[in-house]
Amino acid sequence: MGKQILKLENITKEFPGVKALDGVTFELNEGEVHVLLGENGAGKSTLMKVLAGVHQQNGGRIIYKGEEVKFSNPKQAQDKHIAIIYQEFNLMPNLTVGQNIYLGREPRNKYGLIDKKQLYAKAQEMLDFLQVDIDVQEQVSRLGVARQQLVEVAKALSIDAEILIMDEPTASLSDPEIEQLFRTIKRLQEQKVSIIYISHRLQELKVVGNRITVIRDGKSIGTREADKCTMDELITMMVGREIGNTRIRSKNTAQDEDAVRVEHVTNRKLEDISIHVRKGEIVGIAGLVGSGRTELANAIYGIDAIKSGKVTLFDRQLRKPSPGLNIRNHMGFIPESRKEDGLALSMSIRKNTTCASLKELFPSGWINEKKETETSAGFCKDMKLNTENMEMLVQNLSGGNQQKVVLAKWMCTDSDFLIFDEPTRGIDVGAKEEIHSLMNDLAVKGAGIIMISSDLPEILNLSDRIYVMREGRIVKELPGEGTTQEEIIGYAAGKEEKNA
Amino acid sequence: MKKKIAIPDTLSRLLAVILIAVLLSITCPNFLTVNNILNIFNQASLNVFIAIGMMMTMLIGGIDLSVGSVLAISSVLSARFFFRDDLVSIILGILFAITIGIACGLVNGTMVSVFKLPAFLVTFGMSQICRGFAYLYMNGKVFNGFSDSFKVIGKGRLVGKVQMPILISLVCLVLMAMFLKKSILGRQIYVSGSNPSCARYSGININKITMLCYAFSGMFAALAGVVYVSRLDAAEATIGTAYANDAIAAAAIGGISFAGGKGNVYGTVIGAVLLTLIKNGMNQLGIATEYQKLVTGLVIIIAVLIDRKSAKIAR
């Protein structure tokens, strides 16, 4: 193993209200692939953004090649040959491969104009070195994801990267493409390029990595040699989060009848999904980011089209499901991002609350404002919203109160089957408890509930059954009681080999 | 206090109109006569029709550049019905014109919603197509000599001296204001305009709403065409070329946001009246017409600027 090239010491980073990094230590040797492993929101990406000069740390030191450095912008990190490839590529889709590789650093001729010949020749060199067969004159938008990623790698090479950070590089690649990527990584290693590899796919880590560092809740938990550790060990390091409060759901109120049945549903993002939710049951859906949880909810709700399979809601199969039709059949959906999908921010609380149930409230087609105000005030009071002025614009409310308006809106529809997508994200503890008890109450009254959440304690404390998703599939069904966080993460990250 | 935020907005616009009116009545003696005031409203009425339709498309973040040409094609095609002095024929003609207008609007709406094309380009294309058809159909001719009963629509006076177009536009104003404020569809238009994604998750069929708004725009353009032809006793292919501009100007002055979801009928009507008021006043003062466009342009920009500033202060 080569000598140490980088050391991050006790890095802390605070954003208003959150401590994203809390004393992380990380080392990198020359020519090493060092995997950074952690759950959603553990702080992996933030740490890398500090290293790449996107964020500046509040405390701690970055020691690069023996001397302390401080990057106040990404350019400075680039000048020191540190390159980062984000999950969302940073390519200009309408430019060619060559133009992208040398974007902003185009070789000039004596008139100060771009020297195209030289640009393409140099770009070709990079691609030849990587042993990939991509036309330098091809427009980037015509390449597939895997090839676009290789263009990113070539771009990193062109700045003579000594440290290359790859954020979830295999997230959207197929198996042969992953193999090609791993070969490329090996080539880079031979050239003494050090790679920081961010991932939460356990399977591939031991194939590609030399060492693995686990971080959790902004703290570094430990570093292991890739060939000397077990997956169980890594999983334990990843979860270890306290299950603070005890189980919220005192008894399972599931009835025999199904509220919803999803059979063999397949579309662009989902593969042969079969699940069911009983009346009065809370079903948790766990999975890492990109596992297809929200996509499943969107398919059930009729936002995304289904290619094959069927969804049966209260024993009725809807021929052409749409949100409108589903709402009329008593389905509700509390979407993940309240600002983008849940609320019309520039409108009043009154108008937001009744927005999804106008037809039920006013069958004549004409709105009675007095009744509307009373109705919305009633539901907002149930949600313990701290204002009685229904004419207040939603954009002037705090995040927690906005979420209460979203909930009031869906309580107003009187739904018997509800999907909660990350219902408590970014919400204070008090409001969180209120939402949990609301969900429990709904189930006791006989509503079927799907809860999608990245918060494992929440899943474990509230669910009667749990489905774990990975790569657009349901990989495991677990009971709500007696399941551990380790089990869920194990399935979500792919500890077990896929069943045929 | 508890009532509405839209009211001070509309109120300030109304005050601006009154202010200009007061200034004009001081500076030119002929301004403050019943005849002149009625004249202003009568002139404004055509733009009121079209601007209300334009507003409907702008509420969902769109625009309709085809209104002038839709007006032309619907009026030349329906003109034949208006020669006979027969109520049934006239009503049929009006219905026919409105049907054409709605059909054009539905095509626009379908292109924008189902095929996700930019409203600006779709309606621009539609405007060329309709204008082209109108030219082909008329082949340089002008229809005139319509029946007396038909002329009542554009020239008739009811309740003393009030012209028919004023009354018709008043009826449209009241109906549309009620529709937007009180009906479920009206509410859904606002929700779709302010956050399409939220509308979708709330079960609102955005495609339907979009088509509805463009259909309204086409219908109002056709209605304006009928009134126009009746008033001038002439139908030809060239009418209404500048009407889309005037309607957009009225809507912009009236506080209709180009991003969608904000604005109301009152603002639009005030915008249309304000535009006419400026023209009328400048005519009375003997200011050359060349200056009118200049002033109109300034007024539009100032109105939008004030809107933006007050929105910032409110935040």
Side-chain angles (χ1 to χ4, degrees), chain A residues 404-417:
Chain A
K404 286 179 183 174
V405 175
V406 178
L407 291 169
K409 167 177 163 181
W410 290 103
M411 293 308 109
C412 191
T413 61
D414 198 19
S415 298
D416 300 320
F417 170 66

Side-chain angles (χ1 to χ4, degrees), chain B residues 54-72:
Chain B
M54 183 67 70
M55 173 200 71
M56 298 298 285
T57 63
M58 284 168 70
L59 282 180
I60 49 161
I63 196 161
D64 188 352
L65 300 179
S66 68
V67 282
S69 305
V70 169
L71 183 154

